[in-house]
Amino acid sequence: MEYTLSRSKRKNITICVKDGRVTVKAPLKTDIKVIDGFVASKEKWLARKLRENSERQKRYEDVFAGREFMHLGERLLPCVTDKKRIWSSCKNLFIPQEFYYNGVLIISDLFVAAIKKYYMRKAKKYLGTRLAELSEHYGFSYKKFSLTNAKTKWGSCDSANRIKLNWRLIMLHKGLIDYVIVHELTHTVEHNHSRNFWNGVAAIYPRYKEAIACLKEAGILINLWR
Ligand SMILES: [Zn+2]
């Protein structure tokens, strides 16, 4: 099994699979045979992880290639517009001519900047409105809402009850967005992941475990346009 080894001042060996690659972290002096043995002992688990990873990658291949664009869990197909900015309608995402070359959409830095701007605009409106609605409906209160570009988190709530939501959430299904919002709102009263916290989430969103599984599935989208 091929893997990337990174040695550092640490006590034990850990292994993870990300973007189809296996990375092993090990202490500075651990014998390579010991590390190999450790990797070999995890072979079944690694094979499953790698398979899941590539299946997930495949599912979103068109999205990562810019052939499809996600919006609230739906896939929009790109097409050309005479207008100067990106907009959407029904199942289409209209993209200005300037981003095309010989009829092909080019995923240039300028395009990525423009599409991010489009998504941020959508996210600010939709997520902000939904957060306010759910907060009001379930009697929570939060201080401030802002969008983030976080690499691993869909949302966060700090000790001052300021809620941040990842703008890429706008790509996910409405039900999943609601789950993340309910999760963060519940943190305004329980700043931890205790049993109390999960009971609070479950009282509002009973199928939260299902949402967590779906979020894991769609989690790959958090890496889009980095
Ligand atoms: Zn949390």
Side-chain angles (χ1 to χ4, degrees):
M1 173 90 50
E2 238 179 73
Y3 60 86
T4 306
L5 178 61
S6 120
R7 287 185 185 267
S8 57
K9 266 192 190 165
R10 51 172 27 254
K11 287 222 170 78
N12 42 30
I13 310 176
T14 62
I15 192 161
C16 76
V17 178
K18 209 189 161 215
D19 300 334
R21 278 192 300 271
V22 179
T23 303
V24 178
K25 290 182 182 171
L28 293 169
K29 288 181 178 162
T30 306
D31 195 310
I32 191 71
K33 277 183 192 152
V34 174
I35 299 172
D36 273 341
F38 180 79
V39 174
S41 75
K42 302 280 178 197
E43 209 174 303
K44 259 195 178 159
W45 176 83
L46 281 170
R48 180 165 58 83
K49 281 278 159 199
L50 284 167
R51 197 179 56 240
E52 282 172 7
N53 229 288
S54 75
E55 279 168 6
R56 220 167 274 163
Q57 209 99 35
K58 250 204 185 109
R59 221 165 293 145
Y60 290 100
E61 199 176 276
D62 287 331
V63 176
F64 277 82
R67 289 187 291 268
E68 289 178 351
F69 293 86
M70 303 286 300
H71 182 244
L72 297 178
E74 293 208 56
R75 291 181 184 232
L76 309 181
L77 294 174
C79 54
V80 189
T81 175
D82 289 340
K83 289 186 184 157
K84 284 274 172 249
R85 67 172 196 174
I86 299 174
W87 56 287
S88 60
S89 170
C90 296
K91 297 260 179 199
N92 284 110
L93 184 75
F94 293 88
I95 299 169
Q97 182 76 51
E98 62 180 296
F99 297 115
Y100 282 80
Y101 184 75
N102 283 344
V104 180
L105 176 64
I106 308 295
I107 312 296
S108 62
D109 289 352
L110 273 180
F111 173 72
V112 170
I115 188 77
K116 275 186 181 174
K117 206 171 153 192
Y118 161 82
Y119 272 118
M120 300 275 268
R121 200 170 68 228
K122 289 271 179 195
K124 200 172 177 190
K125 196 170 168 205
Y126 183 83
L127 302 177
T129 305
R130 196 63 187 142
L131 176 65
E133 273 171 10
L134 289 171
S135 176
E136 157 106 43
H137 187 81
Y138 292 104
F140 290 105
S141 74
Y142 59 95
K143 278 266 156 60
K144 197 185 147 201
F145 156 64
S146 55
L147 292 178
T148 68
N149 190 33
K151 282 183 178 154
T152 54
K153 284 182 175 173
W154 287 111
S156 67
C157 172
D158 67 14
S159 54
N161 292 343
R162 286 176 295 222
I163 290 181
K164 289 183 178 170
L165 297 173
N166 197 309
W167 65 265
R168 288 175 176 82
L169 268 177
I170 194 68
M171 299 186 202
L172 308 187
H173 195 276
K174 285 180 179 178
L176 288 186
I177 296 176
D178 278 2
Y179 163 69
V180 174
I181 292 176
V182 166
H183 183 120
E184 301 313 335
L185 281 172
T186 307
H187 275 317
T188 63
V189 288
E190 287 284 340
H191 290 275
N192 51 52
H193 291 121
S194 60
R195 182 167 289 249
N196 256 352
F197 168 82
W198 289 112
N199 286 342
V201 170
I204 298 172
Y205 202 108
R207 295 167 76 174
Y208 73 93
K209 281 186 182 160
E210 226 171 278
I212 291 170
C214 291
L215 211 49
K216 211 174 166 191
E217 201 50 46
I220 192 171
L221 290 172
I222 214 165
N223 301 322
L224 190 59
W225 302 315
R226 286 287 174 192

